Amino acid sequence: MKRITAGTFLIILTILGNLGWSQIEQPYPPLNLVSIPTAGTLPRGSFTLESLLITDGGMVPRLSVGFTDNFSFGVSFGIQNLIGGNKPSINKTTPEVQIKYRIFDESEKMPALVYGLDTQGRGNYTDTLITPRDTLTLNRYDQKAWGMYMVMSKNWNFLGNLGLHAGISKSLSENDDGDKDFNVFFGIDKELNRSFSLLIEIDAALNDNLTDGDYALNDITFGKGKGYLNAGIRWAISPNLMLEINFNDINQNTEAEYTNREIKVMYSESF
């Protein structure tokens, strides 16, 4: 299945990279890649409405607003089983927040630097976990939110834009599992043409080593300690609309049988 998935992904890249039609400029630099944040912020007086369609018929809507060229604010929440025959549920009673402030703009020699806060995790939200030993309070997503983070981004013109991104993060609220480690992440975005971009990222997931003494919780539910390798293709359909197809956990850090596929729709406008 891995070979089929990789082959299909390469075929899609080849087709999109050679498309000569629909050459629409992407409206703004990537605010995030598949999941990791970048040093990109929304232009002043603009907003973007994003809908991420996830596994099991779930959806994560997000609204972000650019108050200045260096400061943006967003809110989001997760809905499980929105599509399908099971009862829909909201991950938490309060919305998650995303705050970005760019400290330094990118220059010819130096990368841009952003401090941020993002409380929106990925996957299902687990309040408690029943184990053979006892019932544990977790209050965390399958993949923890970034929490407080710092990220640097640098771009070059190499047959179209090439962006490199690296950052460090610390979860603020999802620490009931006992793992309070810092996390690191890396990513690349590469323009295939003006309309299409390739996204590749690594989330090291250093704060996901779930252990309770000699009892390894990650053997039951969460990651295997390999981190997450994700990739995606972003398409600017029109000046205000972008579509993204993502392939998550390519290295199979979880027990999922196949690579997880998601679709993201992003609409932006000025006000």
Side-chain angles (χ1 to χ4, degrees):
M1 180 63 193
K2 284 186 179 181
R3 292 182 179 178
I4 295 175
T5 301
T8 303
F9 188 65
L10 289 175
I11 290 172
I12 293 173
L13 283 182
T14 301
I15 294 173
L16 297 183
N18 289 281
L19 283 175
W21 45 270
S22 189
Q23 294 287 295
I24 303 296
E25 198 80 32
Q26 298 189 31
Y28 48 80
L31 307 179
N32 303 280
L33 299 187
V34 177
S35 66
I36 73 169
T38 73
T41 55
L42 281 172
R44 177 184 178 184
S46 64
F47 72 88
T48 179
L49 182 61
E50 174 185 305
S51 292
L52 177 65
L53 307 179
I54 61 175
T55 185
D56 298 328
M59 183 175 73
V60 182
R62 177 182 302 194
L63 173 64
S64 300
V65 179
F67 290 98
T68 72
D69 288 338
N70 292 328
F71 175 74
S72 58
F73 178 83
V75 293
S76 63
F77 58 93
I79 307 174
Q80 303 296 328
N81 301 309
L82 180 65
I83 306 298
N86 296 323
K87 180 181 179 180
S89 62
I90 298 177
N91 284 337
K92 296 172 66 177
T93 56
T94 57
E96 308 290 7
V97 298
Q98 297 82 43
I99 301 173
K100 269 189 172 186
Y101 183 71
R102 188 161 57 217
I103 306 298
F104 298 113
D105 290 330
E106 181 178 345
S107 67
E108 187 173 334
K109 295 182 179 180
M110 298 297 295
L113 175 65
V114 155
Y115 288 144
L117 170 68
D118 189 347
T119 64
Q120 179 66 66
R122 293 172 66 83
N124 293 320
Y125 187 84
T126 302
D127 295 302
T128 57
L129 177 67
I130 299 176
T131 73
R133 179 183 297 180
D134 53 20
T135 299
L136 302 172
T137 300
L138 293 181
N139 293 322
R140 57 160 291 181
Y141 289 92
D142 291 344
Q143 292 177 237
K144 290 183 179 181
W146 301 113
M148 292 292 297
Y149 66 85
M150 178 179 68
V151 58
M152 296 184 294
S153 298
K154 187 74 175 72
N155 295 274
W156 294 269
N157 185 8
F158 178 72
L159 301 176
N161 185 72
L162 170 65
L164 300 182
H165 316 275
I168 185 171
S169 66
K170 179 69 169 66
S171 176
L172 299 179
S173 59
E174 297 172 81
N175 297 315
D176 288 343
D177 58 17
D179 193 333
K180 302 179 181 180
D181 292 343
F182 283 85
N183 190 24
V184 295
F185 52 88
F186 313 90
I188 298 173
D189 69 285
K190 177 66 183 77
E191 282 186 352
L192 303 178
N193 58 31
R194 289 189 302 168
S195 296
F196 292 94
S197 292
L198 168 65
L199 315 173
I200 300 175
E201 65 178 33
I202 296 175
D203 170 10
L206 300 179
N207 57 356
D208 200 30
N209 306 321
L210 285 177
T211 57
D212 178 20
D214 59 354
Y215 189 72
L217 299 181
N218 58 309
D219 291 340
I220 299 176
T221 53
F222 299 97
K224 301 175 183 177
K226 299 189 295 183
Y228 295 91
L229 171 62
N230 307 321
I233 300 171
R234 181 172 294 169
W235 176 23
I237 301 175
S238 74
N240 302 95
L241 184 64
M242 292 192 293
L243 176 68
E244 191 174 295
I245 302 175
N246 295 326
F247 302 85
N248 300 311
D249 195 18
I250 296 173
N251 58 330
Q252 293 190 325
N253 184 47
T254 66
E255 298 296 338
E257 186 176 358
Y258 303 117
T259 297
N260 184 29
R261 285 86 59 198
E262 294 178 348
I263 294 177
K264 186 188 298 181
V265 181
M266 295 163 282
Y267 175 78
S268 61
E269 190 61 85
S270 299
F271 59 89

